[in-house]
Amino acid sequence: MKRAILLSLVLLAFSLMWGQTTLLNEPFTSLDGETADGSTDISSSLNTYTVTSGWTGTKIYKSIGRLKMGSSSGLGYIVTPTVNLSANSGAATYSFSLLQYGTDTSKFIQVLHATDGATFVQVGADISIPSPVATITVNITGGTANSKIKIQAKLAGSNRFYLDDILLTQGASSGIPTLTTAAISAITTISATSGGNVTSQGGSSVTARGVCWNTSTAPTISNSLTSDGSGTGSFVSNLTSLTASTLYHVRAYATNAQGTAYGEEYSFSTSGNSPPAVPTATAATNVSTNSFTANWNAASGATSYRLDVSTSNTFTSLLTNYNNLTVNTTSQAVSGLSANTPYYYRVRAYNTNGTSASSNTIIATTLVNDPYSGYYSSVTGLSGTALKSGLHTILRNTHTHEYSYSNLETQMKATDEDPNNSSNVIELYTGWSVPKADYGGGVTDWNKEHTWSKSHGDFGETAPAGTDLHHLRPCDATVNSTKSNRDFDYGST
Protein backbone atom coordinates (compact mmCIF):
# COMPACT_ATOMS: atom_id res chain seq x y z
CA MET A 1 0.00 0.00 0.00
CA LYS A 2 3.04 2.26 0.05
CA ARG A 3 2.37 2.89 -3.64
CA ALA A 4 -1.19 4.07 -2.90
CA ILE A 5 0.03 6.47 -0.20
CA LEU A 6 2.73 7.79 -2.51
CA LEU A 7 0.13 8.23 -5.28
CA SER A 8 -2.04 10.28 -2.92
CA LEU A 9 0.91 12.53 -2.11
CA VAL A 10 1.68 12.95 -5.80
CA LEU A 11 -1.96 13.80 -6.53
CA LEU A 12 -1.94 16.33 -3.69
CA ALA A 13 1.27 17.97 -4.92
CA PHE A 14 0.06 18.28 -8.48
CA SER A 15 -3.35 19.59 -7.45
CA LEU A 16 -1.56 22.47 -5.77
CA MET A 17 0.61 23.07 -8.83
CA TRP A 18 -2.43 23.30 -11.08
CA GLY A 19 -4.47 25.67 -8.96
CA GLN A 20 -6.52 23.06 -7.08
CA THR A 21 -6.93 23.06 -3.31
CA THR A 22 -7.20 19.78 -1.41
CA LEU A 23 -10.31 19.84 0.80
CA LEU A 24 -10.36 16.20 1.88
CA ASN A 25 -7.70 13.48 1.67
CA GLU A 26 -8.31 9.98 3.08
CA PRO A 27 -5.45 7.61 2.09
CA PHE A 28 -6.47 4.47 4.00
CA THR A 29 -3.69 2.00 4.71
CA SER A 30 -4.89 -1.00 2.72
CA LEU A 31 -7.45 -2.38 0.31
CA ASP A 32 -7.25 -5.88 1.70
CA GLY A 33 -7.20 -7.53 5.12
CA GLU A 34 -9.42 -6.57 8.06
CA THR A 35 -9.49 -6.55 11.86
CA ALA A 36 -12.24 -6.96 14.41
CA ASP A 37 -15.57 -5.21 13.92
CA GLY A 38 -16.65 -2.19 15.92
CA SER A 39 -16.34 1.59 16.00
CA THR A 40 -13.35 1.46 18.36
CA ASP A 41 -11.31 0.03 15.48
CA ILE A 42 -12.06 2.91 13.10
CA SER A 43 -9.03 5.09 12.40
CA SER A 44 -9.06 8.63 13.76
CA SER A 45 -9.26 10.17 10.30
CA LEU A 46 -12.26 8.01 9.45
CA ASN A 47 -14.18 9.17 12.55
CA THR A 48 -15.10 12.36 10.68
CA TYR A 49 -17.44 10.33 8.46
CA THR A 50 -21.08 9.60 9.16
CA VAL A 51 -21.87 5.92 8.76
CA THR A 52 -25.46 4.83 8.13
CA SER A 53 -26.78 1.27 7.82
CA GLY A 54 -29.29 0.50 5.09
CA TRP A 55 -29.60 -3.07 6.31
CA THR A 56 -28.33 -5.50 8.95
CA GLY A 57 -24.60 -6.08 8.85
CA THR A 58 -23.26 -2.84 7.35
CA LYS A 59 -19.81 -2.17 8.81
CA ILE A 60 -16.80 0.06 8.47
CA TYR A 61 -13.67 -1.77 9.51
CA LYS A 62 -10.44 -0.35 10.84
CA SER A 63 -8.40 1.50 8.20
CA ILE A 64 -10.65 0.51 5.33
CA GLY A 65 -14.03 1.73 4.14
CA ARG A 66 -16.10 -1.38 3.77
CA LEU A 67 -19.87 -1.77 3.28
CA LYS A 68 -20.94 -5.38 3.62
CA MET A 69 -24.41 -6.86 3.03
CA GLY A 70 -25.83 -9.18 5.62
CA SER A 71 -29.08 -11.11 5.26
CA SER A 72 -31.07 -8.35 3.51
CA SER A 73 -30.56 -5.88 0.66
CA GLY A 74 -30.62 -2.12 0.34
CA LEU A 75 -28.42 0.96 0.16
CA GLY A 76 -25.56 1.84 2.47
CA TYR A 77 -23.47 4.96 2.36
CA ILE A 78 -20.84 7.18 3.94
CA VAL A 79 -21.06 10.98 3.95
CA THR A 80 -18.25 13.53 4.12
CA PRO A 81 -18.23 16.29 6.69
CA THR A 82 -19.42 19.69 5.45
CA VAL A 83 -16.94 21.12 2.92
CA ASN A 84 -16.79 24.59 1.37
CA LEU A 85 -17.03 24.29 -2.44
CA SER A 86 -18.05 27.90 -3.07
CA ALA A 87 -14.70 28.90 -4.63
CA ASN A 88 -13.84 28.37 -8.31
CA SER A 89 -17.48 28.73 -9.39
CA GLY A 90 -18.54 25.91 -7.14
CA ALA A 91 -16.52 23.24 -8.99
CA ALA A 92 -14.62 20.34 -7.42
CA THR A 93 -13.10 16.97 -8.29
CA TYR A 94 -13.99 13.91 -6.18
CA SER A 95 -11.93 10.75 -6.71
CA PHE A 96 -11.72 7.43 -4.92
CA SER A 97 -10.48 3.87 -5.51
CA LEU A 98 -12.76 0.83 -5.43
CA LEU A 99 -12.33 -2.92 -5.14
CA GLN A 100 -15.29 -5.30 -5.26
CA TYR A 101 -15.76 -8.63 -3.53
CA GLY A 102 -18.47 -10.96 -4.78
CA THR A 103 -20.20 -11.53 -8.12
CA ASP A 104 -23.61 -9.85 -7.80
CA THR A 105 -24.39 -8.19 -11.17
CA SER A 106 -26.83 -5.68 -9.63
CA LYS A 107 -24.24 -3.96 -7.44
CA PHE A 108 -23.35 -0.35 -8.15
CA ILE A 109 -21.98 2.86 -6.64
CA GLN A 110 -23.62 6.29 -6.72
CA VAL A 111 -22.05 9.67 -5.94
CA LEU A 112 -24.46 12.28 -4.55
CA HIS A 113 -24.07 15.97 -3.70
CA ALA A 114 -26.03 18.04 -1.15
CA THR A 115 -25.57 21.81 -1.57
CA ASP A 116 -27.51 22.41 1.66
CA GLY A 117 -25.79 19.61 3.54
CA ALA A 118 -28.98 17.54 3.69
CA THR A 119 -30.78 17.15 0.32
CA PHE A 120 -28.67 14.82 -1.83
CA VAL A 121 -28.90 14.69 -5.63
CA GLN A 122 -27.05 12.06 -7.69
CA VAL A 123 -24.06 13.26 -9.73
CA GLY A 124 -23.83 11.49 -13.13
CA ALA A 125 -24.90 7.89 -13.76
CA ASP A 126 -24.59 4.71 -11.66
CA ILE A 127 -21.02 3.38 -11.46
CA SER A 128 -20.41 -0.37 -11.76
CA ILE A 129 -18.14 -1.59 -8.99
CA PRO A 130 -14.93 -2.63 -10.77
CA SER A 131 -12.63 -5.57 -10.34
CA PRO A 132 -9.70 -5.29 -9.90
CA VAL A 133 -8.94 -1.96 -8.24
CA ALA A 134 -9.88 1.14 -10.28
CA THR A 135 -9.87 4.86 -9.58
CA ILE A 136 -13.14 6.75 -10.17
CA THR A 137 -13.15 10.51 -10.79
CA VAL A 138 -16.35 12.60 -10.66
CA ASN A 139 -16.67 16.34 -11.26
CA ILE A 140 -18.87 18.15 -8.72
CA THR A 141 -20.42 21.47 -9.82
CA GLY A 142 -22.66 24.03 -8.14
CA GLY A 143 -20.98 23.58 -4.79
CA THR A 144 -21.65 25.83 -1.80
CA ALA A 145 -20.12 26.52 1.58
CA ASN A 146 -22.45 23.85 3.04
CA SER A 147 -21.74 21.04 0.57
CA LYS A 148 -21.56 17.39 1.52
CA ILE A 149 -20.63 14.44 -0.71
CA LYS A 150 -22.10 10.95 -0.30
CA ILE A 151 -20.81 7.64 -1.70
CA GLN A 152 -23.73 5.21 -1.78
CA ALA A 153 -23.51 1.48 -2.57
CA LYS A 154 -26.10 -1.11 -3.47
CA LEU A 155 -24.98 -4.67 -2.72
CA ALA A 156 -26.56 -8.07 -2.07
CA GLY A 157 -25.85 -11.21 -0.11
CA SER A 158 -22.19 -11.49 0.90
CA ASN A 159 -21.04 -8.92 -1.65
CA ARG A 160 -19.05 -5.95 -0.40
CA PHE A 161 -16.66 -3.32 -1.63
CA TYR A 162 -13.49 -1.72 -0.33
CA LEU A 163 -13.12 2.05 -0.56
CA ASP A 164 -9.71 3.77 -0.59
CA ASP A 165 -7.79 6.95 -1.48
CA ILE A 166 -10.65 9.45 -1.15
CA LEU A 167 -9.51 12.83 -2.48
CA LEU A 168 -11.65 15.98 -2.80
CA THR A 169 -10.05 18.98 -4.48
CA GLN A 170 -11.44 22.44 -5.28
CA GLY A 171 -11.70 22.97 -9.06
CA ALA A 172 -13.04 20.56 -11.69
CA SER A 173 -10.82 18.00 -13.40
CA SER A 174 -9.48 19.12 -16.75
CA GLY A 175 -8.73 15.73 -18.26
CA ILE A 176 -6.57 12.63 -18.19
CA PRO A 177 -3.80 12.03 -20.76
CA THR A 178 -4.23 10.70 -24.31
CA LEU A 179 -1.93 7.96 -25.58
CA THR A 180 -1.49 4.94 -27.83
CA THR A 181 0.11 1.53 -27.30
CA ALA A 182 3.02 0.27 -29.43
CA ALA A 183 2.66 -3.12 -31.09
CA ILE A 184 4.38 -6.08 -29.46
CA SER A 185 7.77 -7.13 -30.85
CA ALA A 186 10.93 -9.08 -29.93
CA ILE A 187 8.88 -11.85 -28.31
CA THR A 188 10.79 -14.62 -26.55
CA THR A 189 9.73 -17.26 -24.06
CA ILE A 190 10.28 -14.84 -21.13
CA SER A 191 10.27 -11.30 -22.55
CA ALA A 192 8.84 -8.93 -25.12
CA THR A 193 9.01 -5.27 -26.18
CA SER A 194 6.18 -2.74 -26.38
CA GLY A 195 5.82 0.93 -25.44
CA GLY A 196 3.58 3.83 -26.34
CA ASN A 197 3.21 7.44 -27.33
CA VAL A 198 1.68 10.09 -25.05
CA THR A 199 0.09 12.59 -27.47
CA SER A 200 -1.52 14.85 -24.86
CA GLN A 201 -0.86 15.36 -21.14
CA GLY A 202 -4.49 16.30 -20.41
CA GLY A 203 -5.17 18.71 -17.59
CA SER A 204 -1.78 18.38 -15.87
CA SER A 205 1.72 17.01 -16.43
CA VAL A 206 2.17 13.28 -16.98
CA THR A 207 4.13 12.04 -13.98
CA ALA A 208 4.35 8.35 -14.85
CA ARG A 209 4.07 6.30 -18.02
CA GLY A 210 4.85 2.81 -19.26
CA VAL A 211 2.98 -0.38 -20.09
CA CYS A 212 1.05 -2.74 -17.85
CA TRP A 213 0.25 -6.37 -18.55
CA ASN A 214 -1.69 -9.31 -17.22
CA THR A 215 -2.98 -12.71 -18.29
CA SER A 216 -6.52 -11.27 -18.18
CA THR A 217 -7.91 -8.60 -20.47
CA ALA A 218 -7.87 -4.87 -19.63
CA PRO A 219 -4.67 -4.80 -17.54
CA THR A 220 -4.19 -1.82 -15.19
CA ILE A 221 -1.37 -0.30 -13.14
CA SER A 222 -2.43 -2.65 -10.33
CA ASN A 223 -0.95 -5.48 -12.44
CA SER A 224 2.63 -5.86 -13.68
CA LEU A 225 3.99 -2.64 -15.17
CA THR A 226 7.05 -0.79 -16.37
CA SER A 227 8.07 2.77 -15.46
CA ASP A 228 9.32 4.63 -18.51
CA GLY A 229 9.66 8.28 -17.57
CA SER A 230 7.16 11.12 -17.72
CA GLY A 231 5.76 13.78 -20.06
CA THR A 232 4.63 13.42 -23.68
CA GLY A 233 6.24 11.58 -26.59
CA SER A 234 7.16 8.03 -27.52
CA PHE A 235 8.71 5.51 -25.16
CA VAL A 236 9.88 1.89 -25.32
CA SER A 237 8.99 -0.65 -22.64
CA ASN A 238 10.70 -3.98 -21.94
CA LEU A 239 8.44 -6.67 -20.49
CA THR A 240 10.52 -9.15 -18.49
CA SER A 241 10.11 -12.14 -16.17
CA LEU A 242 7.30 -13.56 -18.31
CA THR A 243 6.18 -17.18 -18.25
CA ALA A 244 6.72 -19.38 -21.31
CA SER A 245 3.70 -20.59 -23.32
CA THR A 246 1.42 -17.91 -21.84
CA LEU A 247 -0.98 -15.44 -23.42
CA TYR A 248 -0.54 -11.86 -22.15
CA HIS A 249 -2.58 -8.66 -22.60
CA VAL A 250 -0.76 -5.33 -22.74
CA ARG A 251 -1.79 -1.63 -22.56
CA ALA A 252 0.25 1.55 -22.33
CA TYR A 253 -0.63 3.85 -19.43
CA ALA A 254 -0.03 7.49 -18.50
CA THR A 255 -0.87 9.13 -15.17
CA ASN A 256 -1.46 12.79 -14.29
CA ALA A 257 -3.15 14.54 -11.38
CA GLN A 258 -6.58 13.76 -12.85
CA GLY A 259 -6.01 10.03 -13.13
CA THR A 260 -4.62 7.26 -15.31
CA ALA A 261 -5.41 6.78 -19.00
CA TYR A 262 -4.76 3.66 -21.09
CA GLY A 263 -3.96 3.05 -24.76
CA GLU A 264 -5.42 0.34 -26.95
CA GLU A 265 -4.91 -3.26 -25.86
CA TYR A 266 -2.62 -5.76 -27.61
CA SER A 267 -2.09 -9.41 -26.82
CA PHE A 268 0.71 -11.89 -27.53
CA SER A 269 1.88 -15.34 -26.58
CA THR A 270 5.27 -16.42 -25.28
CA SER A 271 4.75 -19.90 -26.74
CA GLY A 272 7.21 -19.15 -29.57
CA ASN A 273 4.44 -18.36 -32.01
CA SER A 274 4.04 -14.74 -32.99
CA PRO A 275 0.99 -12.63 -33.73
CA PRO A 276 0.06 -12.58 -37.44
CA ALA A 277 1.79 -10.30 -39.93
CA VAL A 278 0.53 -6.75 -40.42
CA PRO A 279 -2.12 -6.71 -43.19
CA THR A 280 -2.05 -4.20 -46.07
CA ALA A 281 -5.22 -2.18 -46.56
CA THR A 282 -6.23 -1.61 -50.20
CA ALA A 283 -8.49 0.87 -51.95
CA ALA A 284 -12.18 0.96 -51.13
CA THR A 285 -14.70 -0.31 -53.67
CA ASN A 286 -18.46 0.08 -54.16
CA VAL A 287 -18.25 3.69 -52.98
CA SER A 288 -21.67 5.35 -52.88
CA THR A 289 -23.24 8.34 -51.15
CA ASN A 290 -23.62 6.49 -47.84
CA SER A 291 -21.42 3.39 -47.97
CA PHE A 292 -18.28 1.73 -49.29
CA THR A 293 -16.48 -1.58 -49.02
CA ALA A 294 -13.21 -1.61 -47.07
CA ASN A 295 -10.61 -4.05 -48.44
CA TRP A 296 -7.26 -5.47 -47.37
CA ASN A 297 -4.85 -8.26 -48.27
CA ALA A 298 -4.74 -11.46 -46.26
CA ALA A 299 -2.06 -11.54 -43.55
CA SER A 300 -0.02 -14.65 -42.90
CA GLY A 301 -1.20 -16.48 -39.78
CA ALA A 302 -4.40 -14.44 -39.33
CA THR A 303 -7.65 -16.11 -38.31
CA SER A 304 -9.66 -12.87 -38.31
CA TYR A 305 -9.21 -9.11 -38.56
CA ARG A 306 -10.09 -5.99 -36.55
CA LEU A 307 -11.40 -2.98 -38.54
CA ASP A 308 -11.45 0.69 -37.45
CA VAL A 309 -13.29 3.43 -39.39
CA SER A 310 -13.08 7.13 -38.52
CA THR A 311 -13.66 10.61 -39.93
CA SER A 312 -10.20 11.50 -38.58
CA ASN A 313 -6.93 10.28 -40.09
CA THR A 314 -5.55 10.01 -36.54
CA PHE A 315 -8.48 7.79 -35.45
CA THR A 316 -9.09 9.92 -32.35
CA SER A 317 -12.73 8.85 -32.56
CA LEU A 318 -14.20 5.81 -34.27
CA LEU A 319 -17.57 5.22 -35.89
CA THR A 320 -20.15 3.31 -33.89
CA ASN A 321 -20.16 -0.35 -35.03
CA TYR A 322 -16.73 0.08 -36.67
CA ASN A 323 -14.56 0.29 -33.56
CA ASN A 324 -12.27 -2.77 -33.50
CA LEU A 325 -14.90 -4.65 -35.51
CA THR A 326 -14.17 -8.37 -35.90
CA VAL A 327 -14.21 -9.42 -39.58
CA ASN A 328 -13.56 -12.98 -40.76
CA THR A 329 -12.88 -12.11 -44.42
CA THR A 330 -10.68 -9.54 -46.20
CA SER A 331 -13.42 -7.02 -46.91
CA GLN A 332 -16.25 -5.37 -45.02
CA ALA A 333 -19.21 -3.23 -46.12
CA VAL A 334 -19.27 0.06 -44.20
CA SER A 335 -22.69 1.76 -44.23
CA GLY A 336 -24.72 4.50 -42.57
CA LEU A 337 -22.32 7.21 -43.78
CA SER A 338 -22.79 10.84 -44.85
CA ALA A 339 -22.55 11.93 -48.49
CA ASN A 340 -19.47 13.74 -49.83
CA THR A 341 -17.44 12.97 -46.68
CA PRO A 342 -13.90 11.56 -46.35
CA TYR A 343 -13.60 8.43 -44.17
CA TYR A 344 -10.44 6.61 -43.08
CA TYR A 345 -9.98 2.93 -42.32
CA ARG A 346 -7.25 0.65 -41.01
CA VAL A 347 -7.16 -3.02 -40.06
CA ARG A 348 -5.24 -5.38 -37.76
CA ALA A 349 -4.73 -9.13 -38.07
CA TYR A 350 -5.60 -11.46 -35.18
CA ASN A 351 -4.92 -15.01 -34.08
CA THR A 352 -4.76 -16.78 -30.73
CA ASN A 353 -1.17 -15.59 -30.26
CA GLY A 354 -2.06 -11.90 -30.45
CA THR A 355 -2.99 -8.94 -32.62
CA SER A 356 -0.76 -7.29 -35.19
CA ALA A 357 -0.03 -3.59 -35.46
CA SER A 358 -2.41 -1.49 -37.55
CA SER A 359 -2.16 -1.49 -41.33
CA ASN A 360 -1.65 1.53 -43.55
CA THR A 361 -4.55 4.00 -43.65
CA ILE A 362 -6.92 4.22 -46.63
CA ILE A 363 -9.17 7.21 -47.35
CA ALA A 364 -12.55 6.70 -49.00
CA THR A 365 -14.68 9.74 -49.84
CA THR A 366 -18.38 9.08 -50.24
CA LEU A 367 -20.11 10.42 -53.33
CA VAL A 368 -22.20 13.55 -53.50
CA ASN A 369 -25.93 13.00 -53.52
CA ASP A 370 -26.69 11.10 -56.73
CA PRO A 371 -28.56 13.23 -59.33
CA TYR A 372 -29.32 10.04 -61.28
CA SER A 373 -31.13 8.35 -58.38
CA GLY A 374 -28.79 5.38 -58.33
CA TYR A 375 -28.99 4.60 -62.07
CA TYR A 376 -25.20 4.16 -62.29
CA SER A 377 -24.62 2.79 -58.78
CA SER A 378 -23.84 -0.72 -60.09
CA VAL A 379 -20.79 0.57 -62.01
CA THR A 380 -19.46 2.95 -59.36
CA GLY A 381 -15.72 2.45 -58.93
CA LEU A 382 -15.35 0.23 -62.05
CA SER A 383 -12.98 0.86 -64.93
CA GLY A 384 -11.84 -0.73 -68.19
CA THR A 385 -13.56 -3.91 -69.32
CA ALA A 386 -15.57 -4.18 -66.11
CA LEU A 387 -17.01 -0.67 -66.65
CA LYS A 388 -17.85 -1.46 -70.30
CA SER A 389 -19.60 -4.67 -69.29
CA GLY A 390 -21.45 -2.93 -66.47
CA LEU A 391 -22.72 -0.12 -68.71
CA HIS A 392 -23.85 -2.69 -71.27
CA THR A 393 -25.84 -4.47 -68.57
CA ILE A 394 -27.48 -1.20 -67.47
CA LEU A 395 -28.48 -0.36 -71.05
CA ARG A 396 -29.76 -3.86 -71.77
CA ASN A 397 -31.83 -3.94 -68.58
CA THR A 398 -33.23 -0.40 -68.74
CA HIS A 399 -33.59 0.45 -72.45
CA THR A 400 -36.35 -2.02 -73.18
CA HIS A 401 -38.98 0.11 -74.95
CA GLU A 402 -39.37 -0.70 -78.65
CA TYR A 403 -40.95 1.71 -81.18
CA SER A 404 -42.73 0.86 -84.39
CA TYR A 405 -41.12 2.06 -87.62
CA SER A 406 -44.00 4.41 -88.35
CA ASN A 407 -43.65 6.04 -84.92
CA LEU A 408 -39.95 6.91 -85.31
CA GLU A 409 -40.59 10.25 -87.04
CA THR A 410 -41.84 11.66 -83.73
CA GLN A 411 -38.84 10.36 -81.78
CA MET A 412 -36.26 11.61 -84.33
CA LYS A 413 -37.62 15.14 -84.03
CA ALA A 414 -36.31 14.98 -80.46
CA THR A 415 -33.09 12.99 -80.91
CA ASP A 416 -31.84 15.08 -83.86
CA GLU A 417 -33.25 18.50 -82.98
CA ASP A 418 -31.18 21.52 -84.07
CA PRO A 419 -29.77 22.95 -80.79
CA ASN A 420 -29.99 26.43 -82.34
CA ASN A 421 -33.54 26.08 -83.67
CA SER A 422 -36.02 23.88 -81.84
CA SER A 423 -38.32 23.87 -84.92
CA ASN A 424 -35.70 22.09 -87.07
CA VAL A 425 -33.76 18.85 -87.24
CA ILE A 426 -30.17 18.37 -88.51
CA GLU A 427 -29.89 16.08 -91.51
CA LEU A 428 -27.29 13.33 -91.84
CA TYR A 429 -24.72 13.65 -94.66
CA THR A 430 -25.70 17.22 -95.68
CA GLY A 431 -25.70 18.71 -92.21
CA TRP A 432 -28.59 20.95 -93.25
CA SER A 433 -31.06 22.33 -90.68
CA VAL A 434 -34.57 21.78 -92.05
CA PRO A 435 -38.06 22.20 -90.58
CA LYS A 436 -39.35 19.29 -88.55
CA ALA A 437 -42.67 19.64 -90.34
CA ASP A 438 -41.09 18.89 -93.77
CA TYR A 439 -41.19 15.12 -93.34
CA GLY A 440 -41.94 13.09 -96.46
CA GLY A 441 -40.62 12.02 -99.85
CA GLY A 442 -40.46 15.38 -101.65
CA VAL A 443 -37.22 16.81 -103.03
CA THR A 444 -37.04 19.30 -100.11
CA ASP A 445 -38.34 16.88 -97.46
CA TRP A 446 -36.46 14.71 -95.01
CA ASN A 447 -37.08 11.10 -94.11
CA LYS A 448 -35.56 8.21 -92.14
CA GLU A 449 -32.14 6.81 -93.04
CA HIS A 450 -30.66 3.58 -91.68
CA THR A 451 -26.94 4.30 -91.32
CA TRP A 452 -26.38 0.61 -92.11
CA SER A 453 -28.51 -0.41 -95.04
CA LYS A 454 -31.51 -2.61 -94.28
CA SER A 455 -30.69 -4.97 -97.10
CA HIS A 456 -27.15 -5.48 -95.78
CA GLY A 457 -28.36 -6.10 -92.24
CA ASP A 458 -31.32 -8.27 -93.13
CA PHE A 459 -33.45 -6.57 -90.48
CA GLY A 460 -35.85 -4.54 -92.62
CA GLU A 461 -38.14 -2.27 -90.65
CA THR A 462 -38.93 -4.79 -87.93
CA ALA A 463 -38.25 -4.14 -84.21
CA PRO A 464 -35.90 -4.16 -82.50
CA ALA A 465 -33.01 -3.76 -84.98
CA GLY A 466 -35.05 -2.19 -87.77
CA THR A 467 -36.46 0.49 -85.45
CA ASP A 468 -33.36 1.12 -83.32
CA LEU A 469 -32.90 4.87 -82.87
CA HIS A 470 -29.16 4.34 -82.38
CA HIS A 471 -28.71 3.98 -86.18
CA LEU A 472 -31.72 5.86 -87.63
CA ARG A 473 -31.11 9.51 -88.59
CA PRO A 474 -32.96 12.28 -90.51
CA CYS A 475 -31.74 12.51 -94.11
CA ASP A 476 -32.57 14.63 -97.15
CA ALA A 477 -35.03 12.53 -99.13
CA THR A 478 -33.14 13.01 -102.43
CA VAL A 479 -29.78 12.15 -100.86
CA ASN A 480 -31.34 9.11 -99.17
CA SER A 481 -32.67 7.88 -102.51
CA THR A 482 -29.36 8.47 -104.29
CA LYS A 483 -27.35 6.75 -101.59
CA SER A 484 -29.65 3.72 -101.90
CA ASN A 485 -27.91 0.72 -100.26
CA ARG A 486 -24.37 1.60 -101.23
CA ASP A 487 -21.57 0.97 -98.76
CA PHE A 488 -19.58 3.86 -97.34
CA ASP A 489 -16.33 4.64 -99.14
CA TYR A 490 -14.26 7.48 -100.58
CA GLY A 491 -16.39 8.16 -103.68
CA SER A 492 -16.71 10.52 -106.63
CA THR A 493 -19.27 13.30 -106.99
Side-chain angles (χ1 to χ4, degrees), residues 282-287 292-295 345 362-364:
T282 58
T285 55
N286 303 320
V287 181
F292 64 83
T293 299
N295 303 292
Y345 66 86
I362 296 293
I363 180 174

Side-chain angles (χ1 to χ4, degrees), residues 344-361:
Y344 302 86
Y345 66 86
R346 65 186 181 186
V347 66
R348 293 172 295 282
Y350 171 84
N351 64 21
T352 55
N353 298 307
T355 307
S356 75
S358 294
S359 70
N360 55 307
T361 298

Side-chain angles (χ1 to χ4, degrees), residues 274-310:
S274 300
V278 179
T280 300
T282 58
T285 55
N286 303 320
V287 181
S288 70
T289 56
N290 58 11
S291 65
F292 64 83
T293 299
N295 303 292
W296 54 91
N297 295 331
S300 176
T303 57
S304 61
Y305 300 89
R306 305 293 185 264
L307 174 66
D308 296 334
V309 183
S310 176

Side-chain angles (χ1 to χ4, degrees), residues 41 55 82 103 117 160 202 235 240 251 309 320 353 395 404 463 470:
D41 293 320
W55 58 87
T82 300
T103 59
R160 58 186 182 270
F235 58 90
T240 58
R251 293 194 296 181
V309 183
T320 303
N353 298 307
L395 290 171
S404 66
H470 287 89

